[in-house]
Amino acid sequence: MIAEPDFRLAGFEPADAASELAESSIWAGDLTVLTEHHTTPEGTHSYIVAHDRSMTWGVPGDPALVAIKITRDLRERTFTFETANHASLPFAQNWLIEHGCPPERIAQAKGDSLKPADDLTLWVERQIRESGSRYKVLDSWTSDYAPSETWTLTRDSSAAQAPIRVFLEEGNPDAHTYTMREGAFTDEAAARHWLEHRGSPLPQPPDYRGEAAARLTRAALTRSSGASAIPKAGLDTGNAPSAGTAQRPTPRRPM
């Protein structure tokens, strides 16, 4: 069952031209809610992350997730409507958290979404969600078809070394799971070269120590023990995983 969003705007008018344009540019029938939070009992705010199915027919590679914040003035009966597009769920959640949403209210995706394949995926996603303004998004790519993946190219303002970070999400539709991995590069050109050619493993961030290193080890041990539902891009012992020698993903537009 497709869960369409309820914007809860009956009886409200847009507070400004920007909100009117933002609200009119989104059709709820194209959206599948992944996570949402509505304040109660006042109902002054709504926070939503949804998958926009219409993006399949749009520009190849464009982000398919939309984060939505709605603020209602109950006295004036007006609303403001803000949106931001993202390639992956934790970046959309981060945007909503930065715009006032309680983190615990949107931490879990609902419905029939793919599930995290391993502990490391959960750790990387939490790191993104709780990063504040740490990561500046430079570019992204989304592919719904073979290979099923998204990547987000960022600059890490907290990184002392290799500040360009790639967050690579790879799906395994057969297992109904996905992995999320982080790679580190000295500059944007090196990151884009890796994304285009995939001729080497995804470079592990130099700051992967402590808790991250422990989770890397546990993920590797889980894989070596023969656990199921681990995508082909699972963790290789001692290295963060990569897409191997796969080429740049094909556009999402079906033939």
Side-chain angles (χ1 to χ4, degrees), residues 125-144:
E125 289 188 317
R126 181 177 178 180
Q127 175 179 298
I128 296 169
R129 278 197 307 272
E130 300 178 357
S131 63
S133 59
R134 173 178 174 178
Y135 299 109
K136 179 182 178 181
V137 175
L138 305 175
D139 199 2
S140 68
W141 178 270
T142 298
S143 174
D144 290 337

Side-chain angles (χ1 to χ4, degrees), residues 59-199:
V59 177
D62 274 1
L65 302 186
V66 58
I68 302 168
K69 178 188 177 183
I70 301 170
T71 305
R72 303 174 191 84
D73 186 323
L74 303 182
R75 176 174 295 181
E76 299 294 330
R77 306 303 289 177
T78 60
F79 69 87
T80 57
F81 200 101
E82 301 172 77
T83 68
N85 293 102
H86 298 274
S88 63
L89 180 59
F91 279 100
Q93 292 167 319
N94 171 264
W95 186 86
L96 290 179
I97 292 168
E98 286 296 282
H99 283 74
C101 184
E104 68 279 4
R105 298 295 185 180
I106 55 165
Q108 300 296 323
K110 63 181 182 179
D112 197 36
S113 304
L114 298 183
K115 306 303 180 184
D118 52 33
D119 196 48
L120 180 57
T121 294
L122 293 171
W123 185 86
V124 174
E125 289 188 317
R126 181 177 178 180
Q127 175 179 298
I128 296 169
R129 278 197 307 272
E130 300 178 357
S131 63
S133 59
R134 173 178 174 178
Y135 299 109
K136 179 182 178 181
V137 175
L138 305 175
D139 199 2
S140 68
W141 178 270
T142 298
S143 174
D144 290 337
Y145 300 100
S148 174
E149 71 168 46
T150 70
W151 52 256
T152 303
L153 178 65
T154 73
R155 181 179 296 277
D156 183 355
S157 62
S158 297
Q161 304 176 55
I164 302 300
R165 300 298 168 92
V166 169
F167 292 92
L168 178 66
E169 180 182 313
E170 296 180 287
N172 184 341
D174 293 335
H176 207 65
T177 61
Y178 68 93
T179 57
M180 174 73 83
R181 300 295 190 253
E182 179 184 4
F185 299 85
T186 56
D187 54 48
E188 187 175 339
R192 291 186 181 278
H193 184 271
W194 186 90
L195 287 165
E196 182 69 26
H197 299 284
R198 312 292 178 95

Side-chain angles (χ1 to χ4, degrees), residues 26-64:
I26 291 180
W27 184 44
D30 282 334
L31 304 182
T32 302
V33 174
L34 301 181
T35 184
E36 62 185 327
H37 170 59
H38 305 274
T39 58
T40 57
E42 299 88 356
T44 55
H45 292 83
S46 291
Y47 303 91
I48 301 168
V49 180
H51 177 259
D52 187 349
R53 298 186 299 279
S54 71
M55 297 304 293
T56 298
W57 305 98
V59 177
D62 274 1

